Amino acid sequence: MTWLRADQLVVAIPGQTPCSEHALTIDFKPGEVWGVLGPNGVGKTTLLHTLASLTTPAMGQVMLDDTPLKDLHRTHIAQQVGVMFQAHQDGFPATVFETALLGRFPHLSPWDMESEQDLALAEQALAQLDLTSLVQRSLSTLSGGERQRAALATLLTQQPEIWLVDEPTNHLDLHHQVAVMALLKEQALRQKTVIMSLHDVNLAAQWCSHVLLLYPDRAPIWGRAETLLTQEYLEPLYRQSLAVTEVNQRPVFVPVAQVYKSID
Amino acid sequence: MLDVRSKARVTRRAIFLPIALLVLLAVLSMVLSVTQGSVALSPSAVWQALQGQGSILNQTVVMELRLPRVLSAFATGGLLALAGALMQILLRNPLADPYVLGISGGASVAALAAILLGLTGLLMSGMAFIGAALSTLLVFGLAGQLSHNSTLRLLLTGVVIAAGWGALITLILALAPPDKLPGMLYWLMGDLAYAHTPWLAWLVLVPVTVLLVPLGRSLNLLARGPMQAAALGVNVKGLERLVFIVASLLTAVAVTTAGSVGFVGLVVPHMLRLVLGNDQRLILPASALAGGCLVTLADTLARTVIAPEQLPVGVITALLGVPTFLYLLQRGRV
């Protein structure tokens, strides 16, 4: 079991002075699905990158099983922690299959060739994401949603203990949104930890066990989703009036065209 | 599913076969090149000369003229193709090439300055290395933050830097004493006629090629973008620095061996990628071998096409390279 812990963590956002009162001290435990919510530019992506040790925090540290990330070798981190990025970088042309197979990298030593087992893992991941018919296609010829799924396939092939996923449902049609969220939930059922940034509060309400609300102007709050996903906490988060209803015993929030007035 | 696996090209066998084929091709091209020239020799006459038998004239032609030149040609091609393949990974752009980006220019200026100062051998190579490294740093610094529109920016930076080196070259030529001019001009044309010592080039080429193979998978990841590579466990900064130093070193050694021979680093990796895919464990050693073959054959052509007169090999590679470059740009594969 791998635990990820944010310890007095303040992420470094360019052009902002870090504030120790906004520090995060959170245990991300196996089996939990975390949704990171907040308005644009509040640092959701930076937080995920910091949790993966891709960005240095402004204050505090991230611990993986009681060892600070900065003391761990990058390969060791990559064996435990996987990241899916929001913006996909355009490097050299590559096929969907090659992209999925990249996930095996941290598990192989330099002289190793990918084994039959590695290839099988990549194939399974692609099948799970409905990409089997596209395996030989070049990544650059895919639609946004297909690329998003190919990136998730890489993560699935990597088989990390901690899943850091930036906007997993970006570009996805409704069916694939549900499929992807179900896939992430399934990882949590297998005692992995899933931490994802989300724009859609309703996805968080439906799929997340815990949420972290990042406010632009005050200290963040975190906890169980059913406690925090209320108008009381969400309206100041987005500075937006919300109406709430219920579907399948889960809250559904709808923005309403009414001027939001801050209470404070 | 089987065809998927074979096309993914990740088995040892899939790497071994093309390499074995290219080694065979390399040997054949070198043999052909040694036999051709103003005096054509049969392979058996060459074999005798190599063993110290046969006529004295044949022995001199083979051992002192052709063999060093052929070995130099091969090593130069290998170095340049490898440098090109590495720069393409570093800049994530298939148009990167030591010549196009002005890296060879920087090495040439430094080498000319070395001649002017009367330096030779390793000192001259060292100067060329500094020139190449400086050029690469400039290209990196100016076009470094590669995001969108990176191709345009990269090429413009390279063109401007190459033009800057060009001006410095003209300046050095204008200042140089007349007795040093012919020796200097050969750097600029990319000519193997003065290449008598292939050993330094081979001493760099062979170990670097072999040592790059275990880095191949990291380089595959780097080619996909630094963030993705870091997320999967690559020490991106360290790897980029290493690739940068190695690419500069390869270019510098190639320039000290044969002057500035253009477009090999562009043409060879591109052609190989079309056929072999883009796994660096295969592409890097294949580039070294195929680049060697290309320059060996180009130099053979340069020596024979208007024999007994000789062309600088850079003319031939540029005639091949310019259309390839324009084609690549046109197809938008960048």
Side-chain angles (χ1 to χ4, degrees):
Chain A
M1 292 276 206
T2 312
W3 283 44
L4 191 72
R5 171 179 298 142
D7 181 17
Q8 294 294 320
L9 183 73
V10 180
V11 299
I13 299 171
Q16 278 186 25
T17 33
C19 168
S20 62
E21 280 153 29
H22 292 184
L24 303 169
T25 300
I26 310 176
D27 274 322
F28 299 101
K29 298 188 193 110
E32 293 177 348
V33 179
W34 281 80
V36 181
L37 299 173
N40 300 130
V42 79
K44 300 188 289 290
T45 298
T46 314
L47 174 65
L48 293 181
H49 288 187
T50 310
L51 290 176
S53 192
L54 298 171
T55 309
T56 326
M59 291 177 194
Q61 56 185 351
V62 182
M63 320 270 280
L64 188 67
D65 286 335
D66 296 323
T67 316
L69 278 189
K70 61 177 181 339
D71 296 344
L72 290 171
H73 193 270
R74 191 158 278 298
T75 314
H76 180 80
I77 298 175
Q79 285 163 2
Q80 311 282 328
V81 181
V83 193
M84 194 197 81
F85 297 99
Q86 189 184 137
H88 300 291
Q89 292 177 320
D90 264 317
F92 263 97
T95 66
V96 173
F97 188 77
E98 287 165 342
T99 306
L101 199 58
L102 292 179
R104 294 316 292 161
F105 179 85
H107 305 284
L108 298 168
S109 77
W111 287 101
D112 278 347
M113 287 288 155
E114 288 85 349
S115 67
E116 285 295 307
Q117 200 196 345
D118 295 319
L119 300 184
L121 278 171
E123 276 166 21
Q124 278 167 24
L126 289 167
Q128 246 180 298
L129 284 151
D130 254 356
L131 289 168
T132 307
S133 58
L134 302 176
V135 278
Q136 281 313 313
R137 286 269 294 277
S138 164
L139 213 55
S140 53
T141 65
L142 301 186
S143 75
E146 288 163 342
R147 297 183 75 153
Q148 180 87 349
R149 274 146 58 206
L152 262 174
T154 310
L155 197 54
L156 198 58
T157 313
Q158 189 183 351
Q159 298 195 314
E161 294 296 313
I162 318 274
W163 290 52
L164 303 171
V165 195
D166 202 356
E167 298 287 347
T169 54
N170 254 5
H171 310 294
L172 295 185
D173 58 52
L174 291 177
H175 167 69
H176 284 112
Q177 280 189 15
V178 173
V180 161
M181 294 306 276
L183 187 147
L184 293 172
K185 180 97 184 173
E186 187 195 321
Q187 304 307 317
L189 292 175
R190 295 182 182 175
Q191 293 304 304
K192 316 280 184 204
T193 314
V194 179
I195 307 169
M196 59 184 131
S197 68
L198 287 170
H199 268 302
D200 188 340
V201 183
N202 297 320
L203 281 175
Q206 211 179 114
W207 298 97
C208 293
S209 64
H210 294 72
V211 288
L212 164 61
L213 308 183
L214 295 175
Y215 292 88
D217 46 3
R218 54 162 133 154
I221 51 176
W222 57 89
R224 294 203 57 87
E226 58 269 24
T227 341
L228 293 186
L229 292 181
T230 61
Q231 279 163 300
E232 182 194 349
Y233 293 113
L234 290 177
E235 286 188 338
L237 184 70
Y238 294 108
R239 301 178 156 278
Q240 170 65 47
S241 300
L242 300 169
V244 61
T245 175
E246 210 165 89
V247 177
N248 289 341
Q249 289 98 51
R250 304 274 188 169
V252 173
F253 299 90
V254 184
V256 287
Q258 180 187 328
V259 180
Y260 169 74
K261 286 201 197 81
S262 175
I263 314 155
D264 37 55
Chain B
M1 281 297 173
L2 263 180
D3 59 330
V4 170
R5 291 185 182 187
S6 63
K7 279 180 198 160
R9 295 189 180 88
V10 286
T11 59
R12 272 181 216 281
R13 196 185 147 86
I15 289 180
F16 180 74
L17 274 178
I19 294 294
L21 204 66
L22 280 167
V23 168
L24 186 70
L25 201 63
V27 172
L28 286 178
S29 66
M30 283 193 273
V31 169
L32 176 78
S33 189
V34 174
T35 58
Q36 298 303 306
S38 47
V39 189
L41 296 171
S42 68
S44 63
V46 171
W47 183 243
Q48 280 182 344
L50 284 176
Q51 291 176 318
Q53 296 161 1
S55 73
I56 299 293
L57 177 66
N58 280 2
Q59 282 187 39
T60 314
V61 166
V62 170
M63 297 305 288
E64 282 171 31
L65 293 176
R66 288 201 193 154
L67 197 60
R69 178 160 180 170
V70 168
L71 288 174
S72 298
F74 190 89
T76 303
L79 291 166
L80 287 173
L82 204 53
L86 287 174
M87 281 175 192
Q88 286 154 22
I89 297 167
L90 207 52
L91 296 164
R92 279 167 287 284
N93 194 318
L95 287 178
D97 164 83
Y99 189 76
V100 174
L101 294 181
I103 316 289
S104 308
S108 296
V109 167
L112 289 189
I115 300 178
L116 201 60
L117 295 172
L119 304 175
T120 50
L122 271 179
L123 277 176
M124 188 204 269
S125 299
M127 289 275 282
F129 173 71
I130 293 170
L134 192 70
S135 261
T136 319
L137 267 183
L138 271 174
V139 174
F140 251 79
L142 297 175
Q145 299 307 316
L146 293 179
S147 50
H148 302 291
N149 277 333
S150 57
T151 301
L152 191 64
R153 209 177 151 150
L154 179 73
L155 290 179
L156 280 176
T157 313
V159 165
V160 169
I161 288 177
W165 292 129
L168 280 180
I169 288 169
T170 314
L171 177 72
I172 294 177
L173 289 180
L175 294 177
D179 60 307
K180 288 193 171 162
L181 269 179
M184 285 180 158
L185 279 174
Y186 102 86
W187 293 101
L188 308 176
M189 295 196 285
D191 193 347
L192 284 154
Y194 298 82
H196 300 304
T197 48
W199 308 120
L200 174 68
W202 279 87
L203 275 177
V204 172
L205 179 64
V206 175
V208 166
T209 308
V210 173
L211 291 175
L212 279 174
V213 173
L215 282 177
R217 207 142 33 77
S218 302
L219 292 169
N220 281 342
L221 267 176
L222 193 62
R224 303 296 300 279
M227 282 293 257
Q228 178 73 72
L232 284 167
V234 177
N235 174 1
V236 171
K237 279 214 178 101
L239 185 63
E240 281 189 335
R241 209 165 294 154
L242 180 75
V243 170
F244 158 74
I245 292 172
V246 170
S248 303
L249 175 74
L250 296 172
T251 309
V253 175
V255 168
T256 39
T257 307
S260 122
V261 178
F263 296 101
V264 179
L266 179 82
V267 176
V268 172
H270 175 66
M271 295 296 174
L272 289 173
R273 272 191 212 109
L274 285 182
V275 186
L276 301 174
N278 195 20
D279 192 319
Q280 308 311 321
R281 290 170 288 185
L282 175 56
I283 286 297
L284 293 178
S287 290
L289 286 163
C293 293
L294 178 73
V295 175
T296 306
L297 294 175
D299 186 53
T300 313
L301 202 61
R303 284 189 287 125
T304 50
V305 70
I306 52 163
E309 294 300 311
Q310 301 189 350
L311 287 171
V313 70
V315 173
I316 311 269
T317 58
L319 286 177
L320 284 172
V322 172
T324 313
F325 183 87
L326 293 176
Y327 171 74
L328 270 179
L329 203 58
Q330 176 71 20
R331 276 201 36 195
R333 284 183 61 102
V334 287

